[in-house]
Amino acid sequence: MTNGSTELIFAADLGGTHLRAATIDERGKIHFRSKQNTPQGTDPNKIVSAIISAVREYQNEVGAAWNRLKGVSLVVPGTVNVKDGTVVKAPNLPCLDGFPLTSALTDELGLPAILENDANAAAVGEMWQGAARGCRTIICVTLGTGVGGGIILEGELWRGVDGAAAEIGHMCVDPFGGVACTCGSRGCLEVFASATAIVRMTREASPRYPASVLHASNDLTAESIFAAGLQGDELALEIFGRMGVYLGIGLANLINILNPEMIVIAGGVVNGWDLFEKHMMHQVEERAFPLLAARVKIVRAKCGDDAGLLGAARLAISNR
Ligand SMILES: [Zn+2]
C-alpha cells in the first residue's frame, strides 16, 4: 500500500457485460480493483446499487483510509451529457437512457461524480499512461464489439456541441450495398472492423474456403479467427486483410481531416494486428496526403482493458 495521504479517484467502467472498477491515484497507479456482472433489466437503480456496492467493498477493505477517495468517475458505453451527468443514449444498457447517473451516485455517496463516454475515456487513458504519452493531438480507435472513437485536439477531448463527436465507427466506408449497421445507416466502418464484423464476414466468406479449419469451429470469435490466421488459414487471412483495408480507408480520412500526431488502435480486435497491419498501412499510404501520412504514428494501445478506467480517473483529477 502507498502512504496514507495519496488522494484517489474511484473509477468505474460500465460495460454491457461487466462492471469493472478501480481506485487510481494522481500518478495513474491502480490500487484496489473489482469486477462484477453488469445488472441487466429495466431498472437503472440496480446499476447505481452495483456501483455503490463496489465502493463499499473498497471502503470495507481499507477501513478509515477510505476518506482518501475524492471523487467518482464513470465510463459509459454510449452518448453522455458531461455537463449534467446524464446518460443520453446507451444502446447496450437502454435502462440508462435519460438517467441522471452522477446525481444518483453523489446523493448516495456524498462524493462528486462525473461521467464520460467509454471511447473518449480510453483516448484520455492512452494519452495519460499509454501509447500516446507526450502527444497533444491524437485519435484513439477502439475495435471491440463495436467500433468507438476518441479525438483529443491540443490536449482537449473533442466532444462536439452535443457530446456525441468522434463516432468513428459510423463513418461510411462502403456506400454500395453496405451492410446495415445498428445506428440505422449502412456501410459504416463498424460493420467491417469490429469483432462482430470479423465473425460475420468469416461466416459469409466460408463457402469459398472449404478447406478452412474454421468450418470445424462451433464457437467462432474474432480471437479464434485470428488464431487460425496465424496458422496460415486462408479464410482468416482474407477476412483480416479486408478488415485492414476498411480500417485503413477510415484512418486515411481521419488523417486528412485532423492531421494527428498519433492514432492509437485499441480494443480486443487489436490482437489481430499482425494480420491486418500491412493492409491498413497500405490504404493509408495510398489515400492520405503523403506529408500527413509520414507524420502520423499508427500504433497499438498499451493500457489494455484499463484505458477507460485510467482516462476516467484523469478526467476526474483534472476536473478538481
Ligand atoms: Zn453505423
Side-chain angles (χ1 to χ4, degrees), residues 31-55:
H31 297 248
F32 164 89
R33 276 182 189 274
S34 79
K35 183 176 173 182
Q36 59 185 302
N37 291 329
T38 303
Q40 304 295 323
T42 56
D43 183 1
N45 291 306
K46 287 192 175 152
I47 290 176
V48 175
S49 301
I51 297 166
I52 287 166
S53 81
V55 176

Side-chain angles (χ1 to χ4, degrees), residues 167 169-171 179-191:
E167 286 293 352
H170 302 286
M171 145 176 25
V179 179
C181 180
T182 53
C183 73
S185 184
R186 304 182 75 83
C188 298
L189 179 59
E190 180 165 302
V191 299

Side-chain angles (χ1 to χ4, degrees), residues 293-312:
R295 176 72 159 83
V296 68
K297 294 188 185 77
I298 302 176
V299 300
R300 300 171 65 149
K302 285 192 178 156
C303 295
D305 288 344
D306 290 335
L309 289 170
L310 288 162

Side-chain angles (χ1 to χ4, degrees), residues 4-258:
S5 63
T6 314
E7 296 190 343
L8 298 171
I9 299 296
F10 192 92
D13 189 342
L14 192 55
T17 312
H18 291 120
L19 166 57
R20 298 168 61 254
T23 59
I24 300 174
D25 68 27
E26 61 198 16
R27 289 193 301 275
K29 183 165 186 256
I30 293 180
H31 297 248
F32 164 89
R33 276 182 189 274
S34 79
K35 183 176 173 182
Q36 59 185 302
N37 291 329
T38 303
Q40 304 295 323
T42 56
D43 183 1
N45 291 306
K46 287 192 175 152
I47 290 176
V48 175
S49 301
I51 297 166
I52 287 166
S53 81
V55 176
R56 302 285 182 231
E57 188 189 335
Y58 163 72
Q59 291 173 333
N60 288 336
E61 187 172 302
V62 299
W66 81 267
N67 66 6
R68 291 189 290 154
L69 267 194
K70 297 302 170 195
V72 176
S73 189
L74 294 173
V75 175
V76 179
T79 309
V80 300
N81 184 328
V82 172
K83 289 196 185 81
D84 70 6
T86 302
V87 177
V88 177
K89 189 146 189 66
N92 292 321
L93 294 168
C95 71
L96 288 177
D97 290 356
F99 187 74
L101 192 50
T102 58
S103 60
L105 288 167
T106 297
D107 289 350
E108 198 69 34
L109 295 167
L111 287 167
I114 60 170
L115 83 179
E116 186 54 77
N117 163 268
D118 55 356
N120 281 355
V124 174
E126 286 292 336
M127 186 182 264
W128 188 33
Q129 295 292 327
R133 282 175 96 138
C135 293
R136 298 274 300 158
T137 293
I138 68 156
I139 300 165
C140 184
V141 184
T142 306
L143 309 174
T145 310
V147 173
I151 295 172
I152 301 177
L153 305 176
E154 295 290 341
E156 294 285 328
L157 256 184
W158 177 253
R159 295 189 177 99
V161 287
D162 294 311
E167 286 293 352
I168 289 166
H170 302 286
M171 145 176 25
C172 184
V173 291
D174 181 5
F176 300 110
V179 179
C181 180
T182 53
C183 73
S185 184
R186 304 182 75 83
C188 298
L189 179 59
E190 180 165 302
V191 299
F192 300 107
S194 62
T196 319
I198 285 166
V199 172
R200 189 201 74 249
M201 292 192 295
T202 301
R203 289 215 172 93
E204 286 168 357
S206 63
R208 288 190 282 113
Y209 292 92
S212 171
V213 297
L214 292 166
H215 286 288
S217 171
N218 296 321
D219 185 28
L220 271 187
T221 61
E223 200 62 38
S224 67
I225 297 162
F226 166 62
L230 283 185
Q231 303 301 316
D233 185 81
E234 290 191 4
L235 170 56
L237 291 173
E238 179 190 315
I239 298 308
F240 273 97
R242 287 178 55 189
M243 171 267 178
V245 168
Y246 285 112
L247 179 61
I249 292 170
L251 298 189
N253 291 339
L254 291 167
I255 291 164
N256 284 347
I257 295 167
L258 292 169

